[in-house]
Amino acid sequence: MKSCPKGVSPSLFEYVRTAILPLYDSFDKGHGRDHAEYVVDQAMTLCRYYEADPQMVFTAAAYHDTGLCEDRKTHHIVSARIIRSDRELRRWFNEEQIGIIADAAEDHRASSKNEPRTIYGKLIAESDRQIVPLTVIRRTVQYGFAHYPELDKEGHWARTLEHLKEKYAEGGYLKLWIPESENRERLKELRAIIEDRKLLRSIFEKEYAAACCSIPTKF
């Protein structure tokens, strides 16, 4: 993230850039710093359509996956806890604002059965979807390599297919909240790929090979 977004204090931007975003460098490839910066960028773009404080949107987006430092299953809850416990944020926000920011981070998870409590939560949830078909498939394969190293190639294919169908196919658990987002059209594109099993397999083969090449050689 090279430049400070409009409406965000330079001091807040610098704090997030130097103290928060580096946390993502230790996460899996699907949730690295590039993902965090993508979510920030999308959230800042979408918030222009709503009466939302850009500083709060920026902060919620930047912190939304920091809870991965503990685990995947409860990372959204941990992210909220990190926000509430970060004393540095009191330089820019009052307690009520920090609570809203924390709620937004907690509400972003795609598998949540509840609608986000505020527009901030909806903005972060929508921005986190990152529905770029090839990116979704790549992140799915990369996540499998990072968390299920015991699987062979066909095991990774089965896991990839199961995840894509469960989350993104018709009737999947993913929900979209912001009509101004491009996610709806991109989701249609992704669903078409999921239905075309031959095309999906060819994409998987390329991403699987790339993931294999990225594994450090052990001597």
Side-chain angles (χ1 to χ4, degrees), residues 117-173:
R117 286 165 279 188
T118 67
I119 186 59
Y120 295 94
K122 290 179 179 179
L123 287 166
I124 304 309
E126 185 78 28
S127 300
D128 182 56
R129 299 303 181 252
Q130 199 170 355
I131 306 177
V132 179
L134 292 182
T135 301
V136 168
I137 298 169
R138 179 178 302 117
R139 288 179 64 191
T140 301
V141 175
Q142 290 173 344
Y143 184 87
F145 266 74
H147 296 272
Y148 302 96
E150 74 280 2
L151 294 179
D152 61 10
K153 184 177 181 179
E154 291 308 310
H156 280 291
W157 163 245
R159 196 204 72 83
T160 296
L161 186 59
E162 179 183 12
H163 173 73
L164 292 175
K165 290 173 65 177
E166 181 182 22
K167 183 173 182 179
Y168 297 100
E170 291 286 351
Y173 65 76

Side-chain angles (χ1 to χ4, degrees), residues 11 38 50 82 110 130 160 195 197:
S11 59
Y38 174 90
Y50 298 88
I82 290 172
Q130 199 170 355
T160 296
E195 289 300 314
R197 201 58 51 84

Side-chain angles (χ1 to χ4, degrees), residues 89-114:
L89 290 179
R90 274 68 182 177
R91 294 165 56 190
W92 303 282
F93 305 107
N94 60 39
E95 293 301 322
E96 180 181 3
Q97 291 172 319
I98 289 173
I100 294 172
I101 294 168
D103 287 346
E106 186 172 328
D107 290 347
H108 86 272
R109 193 171 185 185
S111 59
S112 174
K113 297 179 180 180
N114 300 316

